[in-house]
Each structure stands twice: as structure tokens, then as C-alpha cells.
Amino acid sequence: MKKTLLFLSLISSVYFYSQDFAGINKILDKIESKSKKMKDASEYDLKGKKFVLVEDFEDHAERHVLEFNTDGTLTLIELIDDKSSGKSFSNIFTGDYIRKKNAVSVRANFLEGKQIAIPLVYSLYIMNASDIWYLKDINSNKRWIENNNLIKKKK
């Protein structure tokens, strides 16, 4: 009796999970159809490029500059402007990155030459819209815009 109940519960669970997987497959198909519209950035070279992220909060403003060096390392400069006191602070991080097609994984594990316990890690995706290259943070959807594009807009 126990074996038949166990067998029936196993069969019913497989049946209900298969319905879940069908829904997940539909969602994955939609994602794949959208990703086919994205431009392949495998020929875009990150070496020597700078990307900027600007965030404005109530009490302070942050500017992050991410520079990909030609030797495969990176430099992340964090500028913090305190609105109440008017003072500015900066942190300079260095580290490395790994790139696979459009995905870039960034790890900044040195703060001004000293190794830090918990490195800054970003998972970024290379995007292009109207000939403007930018990096989109996969986790927070923040956009790091290429510095050359910011200079062109100012002119």
C-alpha cells in the first residue's frame, strides 16, 4: 500500500512539474527571441575604453569611472561628492576582468594598491543603442556609458 501511494505521488509530481517546465520554456523562448535582436559585440574592443556611471542621492552624488587597460587590467575610480559639506572623496580600485562575447565580469580587488577582503564585482553586458556603446549591469540594470559618447554629446 505504501509503495503504491509513493508511486502515485511520484507520478503526480512529475505531471505537475512538467506543466511548470512548459511555462518556463515559453519564457525562455521569449528571452531568446529578444536576445536575437541584440547586436553582437564580439568585435567591439574594450581595451583602452572608459565607461562612466553617475548616481545622484539626497545627501551625496557618486561618479564611477571604469577604465579597461590595454594589458587586461582595469581601474575603477569612485568619486563621492558630499552635498552638505561640499567635500569630495575618491577611491581608486584596480583589478581584472573576463569577457565572453557580450558578457563582461569585472573584479576590483585592490584599493589603492592594497588588497581588500571583499572585492567589488560587477556582471556587465555590452549593449549598443543608436551607435552609443554602454555596459548594462545585469544585477541592478544601471548603465555605464562610454566616455567618448559623453564627450560627443557636449560638443
Side-chain angles (χ1 to χ4, degrees):
M1 182 72 173
K2 288 182 182 179
K3 288 182 182 180
T4 57
L5 286 174
L6 181 64
F7 180 73
L8 287 175
S9 65
L10 182 66
I11 295 295
S12 64
S13 66
V14 169
Y15 173 74
F16 290 120
Y17 281 126
S18 65
Q19 288 179 351
D20 249 1
F21 286 124
I24 291 172
N25 282 331
K26 288 179 185 177
I27 293 170
L28 289 175
D29 289 339
K30 287 181 184 178
I31 291 171
E32 286 177 1
S33 68
K34 286 182 183 178
S35 67
K36 288 180 184 173
K37 296 176 187 174
M38 292 182 191
K39 187 175 181 179
D40 181 31
S42 57
E43 294 182 12
Y44 181 73
D45 192 19
L46 286 175
K47 294 180 180 179
K49 303 284 170 96
K50 291 182 183 180
F51 293 87
V52 178
L53 169 68
V54 178
E55 296 179 288
D56 194 23
F57 301 101
E58 287 182 25
D59 58 341
H60 70 283
E62 293 182 11
R63 291 172 287 163
H64 303 272
V65 179
L66 181 61
E67 180 179 0
F68 295 94
N69 302 324
T70 55
D71 61 352
T73 61
L74 64 90
T75 305
L76 174 64
I77 301 171
E78 183 180 61
L79 300 166
I80 302 168
D81 298 324
D82 189 8
K83 292 180 180 178
S84 61
S85 67
K87 292 184 180 179
S88 294
F89 306 96
S90 66
N91 293 320
I92 300 174
F93 297 93
T94 55
D96 55 358
Y97 67 96
I98 297 173
R99 177 179 176 179
K100 291 188 179 180
K101 295 187 181 181
N102 286 17
V104 180
S105 179
V106 171
R107 179 186 66 172
N109 56 347
F110 289 95
L111 173 61
E112 298 176 3
K114 297 180 182 177
Q115 191 163 5
I116 54 178
I118 302 174
L120 296 176
V121 178
Y122 296 105
S123 298
L124 306 169
Y125 197 79
I126 302 172
M127 306 284 285
N128 185 358
S130 303
D131 292 328
I132 297 174
W133 289 97
Y134 63 95
L135 301 173
K136 186 173 184 179
D137 192 336
I138 295 171
N139 299 321
S140 65
N141 287 332
K142 294 178 184 174
R143 291 185 178 93
W144 298 70
I145 301 173
E146 186 181 3
N147 193 30
N148 293 340
N149 292 319
L150 295 175
I151 294 169
K152 289 178 190 175
K153 296 288 182 187
K154 288 182 181 179
K155 289 182 180 178

